[in-house]
Amino acid sequence: EDQVTQSPEALRLQEGESSSLNCSYTVSGLRGLFWYRQDPGKGPEFLFTLYSAGEEKEKERLKATLTKKESFLHITAPKPEDSATYLCAALRGTGRRALTFGSGTRLQVQP
Amino acid sequence: KAGVTQTPRYLIKTRGQQVTLSCSPISGHRSVSWYQQTPGQGLQFLFEYFSETQRNKGNFPGRFSGRQFSNSRSEMNVSTLELGDSALYLCASSRGASGNTDTQYFGPGTRLTVL
């Protein structure tokens, strides 16, 4: 059975304090690893897609990386507006085109 | 480009009733997927429609059903509502070509409360 596990569940940072969020996955033949950001009461907002081990993508203060077993979302010098829940999701290589989501990391950045 | 829209945004129903939720995908997107989000279970896949056909289905009871129209708009229906059906229902659209790994873009969701 496909599994995606995110850690930590919650993270509190001071503004400017860099950190990383972890997403480990057990998915048959991974075809894509997706990162989303979700604000309270809203739908997930797409951030990145990673397709193969070694791939990296960046957007402003965020950088996502992928290995054969896990993905990291690095947040450099975060600002209070980066506070949100960050979700990762995996798409398997065969069968259903359904995303398997992790439970998310709730990030709070304090000024 | 307009994003995914979902209506209504909020619904309150009582046990035993049925409900229909609507989703309009991004223009040009032909695949619509539905997800249920609850605090306990997180985001769980319900089903996916492409070209008016259900292509995939998650592990939900038959009370949950959906359909897609020729303009790619989709509806999902939940019959005989239970308290546990209270959740945020999210619709996601993608271009949807078979075997494609294209990104799914989410709507704002419909918050369903069952009393």
Side-chain angles (χ1 to χ4, degrees):
Chain A
E1 185 181 331
D2 296 345
Q3 267 197 316
V4 177
T5 304
Q6 291 188 247
S7 61
E9 281 188 23
L11 181 62
R12 183 179 295 180
L13 299 173
Q14 291 296 126
E15 185 172 1
E17 179 187 0
S18 302
S19 188
S20 296
L21 313 183
N22 176 264
C23 169
S24 62
Y25 60 90
T26 307
V27 172
S28 173
L30 183 79
R31 283 169 55 202
L33 191 291
F34 300 80
W35 282 97
Y36 290 87
R37 167 195 170 125
Q38 187 174 26
D39 293 300
K42 297 188 176 181
E45 174 190 344
F46 170 71
L47 293 173
F48 304 108
T49 308
L50 302 166
Y51 293 106
S52 56
E55 190 174 0
E56 298 183 353
K57 287 195 177 168
E58 280 189 74
K59 178 181 177 180
E60 296 180 358
R61 297 177 291 283
L62 300 176
K63 182 167 89 170
T65 61
L66 182 66
T67 73
K68 289 187 178 179
K69 292 185 178 180
E70 55 193 351
S71 177
F72 293 93
L73 185 65
H74 307 279
I75 304 177
T76 302
K79 298 182 178 181
E81 54 261 42
D82 294 323
S83 298
T85 295
Y86 290 85
L87 297 162
C88 75
L91 184 66
R92 75 191 336 231
T94 56
R96 307 186 310 170
R97 265 181 45 85
L99 290 173
T100 300
F101 278 87
S103 54
T105 293
R106 286 192 319 278
L107 173 66
Q108 185 178 12
V109 181
Q110 296 183 311
Chain B
K1 203 174 196 183
V4 179
T5 57
Q6 293 187 243
T7 56
R9 292 293 314 279
Y10 302 92
L11 265 178
I12 299 176
K13 293 286 187 178
T14 56
R15 279 181 298 174
Q17 287 188 309
Q18 75 164 18
V19 67
T20 298
L21 313 181
S22 181
C23 171
S24 293
I26 294 169
S27 177
H29 286 192
R30 295 169 63 193
S31 170
V32 172
S33 299
W34 289 89
Y35 293 82
Q36 180 196 65
Q37 186 174 31
T38 59
Q41 299 296 319
L43 268 148
Q44 292 187 291
F45 172 76
L46 281 157
F47 27 65
E48 182 210 0
Y49 286 87
F50 178 78
S51 291
E52 301 178 66
T53 301
Q54 186 181 87
R55 199 155 63 170
N56 296 296
K57 190 178 191 311
N59 297 324
F60 279 81
R63 299 185 297 107
F64 291 83
S65 63
R67 59 178 176 168
Q68 187 180 33
F69 303 95
S70 58
N71 61 358
S72 294
R73 192 177 70 84
S74 177
E75 288 181 348
M76 69 163 279
N77 183 276
V78 188
S79 62
T80 321
L81 283 166
E82 300 177 359
L83 295 179
D85 296 333
S86 294
L88 181 66
Y89 289 89
L90 292 159
C91 163
S93 82
S94 62
R95 294 189 189 281
S98 179
N100 201 299
T101 56
D102 63 324
T103 299
Q104 295 183 29
Y105 295 91
F106 285 82
T110 295
R111 171 73 62 186
L112 172 65
T113 302
V114 182
L115 302 175

